[in-house]
């Protein structure tokens, strides 16, 4: 190779780039820049509230640190999800922290056409557009992928692993009243999401026996976010460890609950 020194795609793993020093490959690698639908015309309103994570956790009713956790989206007992607030929004972006304000993941919208971005910039028709989301770890590696087809009444979300293997579907069960969603894997209901009021602020996440195993609590995002954007903040708390595929379905719905709800019911 007669290339200048720089970062180039790693043939051993396409998720990474490797440093070429001008004469040979080095052992230095880093995550490849990930695809995102973020547009330069979007105007962000400050950060994602990392400095207020402790307040969010307390507002969710968690007064003392919850023990356990392995530093990943699938092992932490508390996930703090902050949507990036934008005056002009063309894509959904979230940052995920643990209860101690450590950054452990992100959610990025991908695959939008230019026409879809333009429509979102000037309308509130989110629910009538296909939505593709990637839930990524702190290194940018996709852990879960979600697809929500365009909808008018009932929302449905397909969930798959980062490698493309299907996990299940999140299916809205009703239109009127307190919204409910079913977690369906291989044709069987393994749990669900149950809103606790008509405006769907907080949610009970249950297993197939209707026992609550986790919950989602919406937290105050600040006056600027509330007035000038649709961005929301949530805290997801697990009461106990749960097995897959229920674990993946809870993480998928918990960190993207606005999109699951089509952003038109909260």
């Amino acid at each position: 190779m007669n290339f200048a020194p720089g970062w180039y795609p790693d043939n051993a793993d396409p998720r990474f780039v490797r440093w070429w020093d001008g004469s040979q490959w080095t052992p230095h690698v880093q995550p490849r820049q990930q695809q995102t639908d973020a547009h330069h015309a979007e105007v962000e309103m400050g950060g994602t509230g990392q400095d207020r994570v402790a307040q969010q956790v307390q507002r969710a009713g968690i007064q003392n640190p919850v023990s356990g956790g392995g530093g990943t989206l699938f092992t932490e007992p508390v996930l703090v999800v902050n949507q990036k607030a934008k005056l002009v929004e063309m894509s959904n972006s979230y940052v995920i922290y643990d209860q101690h304000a450590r950054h452990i993941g992100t959610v990025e919208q991908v695959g939008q056409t230019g026409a879809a971005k333009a429509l979102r910039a000037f309308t509130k028709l989110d629910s009538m557009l296909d939505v593709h989301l990637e839930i990524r770890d702190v290194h940018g590696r996709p852990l879960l992928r979600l697809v929500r087809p365009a909808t008018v009444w009932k929302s449905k979300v397909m969930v798959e692993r980062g490698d493309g293997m299907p996990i299940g579907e999140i299916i809205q069960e009703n239109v009127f009243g307190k919204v409910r969603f079913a977690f369906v894997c291989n044709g069987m209901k393994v749990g669900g999401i149950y809103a606790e009021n008509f405006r769907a602020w907080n949610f009970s996440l249950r297993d197939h026996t209707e026992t609550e195993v986790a919950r989602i609590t919406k937290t105050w995002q600040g006056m600027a976010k509330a007035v000038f954007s649709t961005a929301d903040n949530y805290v997801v708390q697990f009461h106990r460890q749960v097995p897959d595929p229920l674990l993946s379905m809870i993480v998928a719905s918990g960190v993207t609950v606005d999109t699951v709800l089509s952003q038109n019911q909260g």
Side-chain angles (χ1 to χ4, degrees), residues 180-252:
R180 301 188 312 275
F181 291 83
F183 297 143
V184 178
C185 301
N186 294 322
M188 298 180 59
K189 183 175 179 179
V190 299
I193 308 172
Y194 297 79
E196 296 188 338
N197 48 54
F198 292 103
R199 287 183 60 79
W201 295 115
N202 302 321
F203 308 87
S204 172
L205 303 177
R206 305 176 188 175
D207 64 15
H208 68 287
T209 68
E210 300 291 321
T211 300
E212 181 175 293
V213 295
R215 64 186 297 105
I216 303 172
T217 304
K218 185 175 181 178
T219 57
W220 175 244
Q221 69 269 42
M223 183 63 70
K225 278 190 176 183
V227 174
F228 296 107
S229 79
T230 60
D232 286 314
N233 297 341
Y234 291 89
V235 173
V236 184
Q237 181 186 7
F238 286 87
H239 302 321
R240 61 177 174 83
Q241 291 184 332
V242 296
D244 257 335
L246 181 58
L247 174 60
S248 291
M249 299 298 279
I250 289 177
V251 171

Side-chain angles (χ1 to χ4, degrees), residues 15-54:
R15 298 173 302 175
F16 294 87
V17 290
R18 186 177 295 274
W19 182 257
W20 172 258
D21 66 8
S23 61
Q24 62 181 355
W25 293 110
T26 71
H28 304 298
V29 296
Q30 65 181 19
R32 194 171 185 175
Q33 186 174 3
Q34 299 293 311
Q35 179 187 8
T36 176
D37 281 357
H39 192 275
H40 63 81
E42 293 180 307
V43 180
E44 292 192 15
M45 300 170 53
T48 57
Q50 182 178 13
D51 57 334
R52 295 190 296 273
V53 166

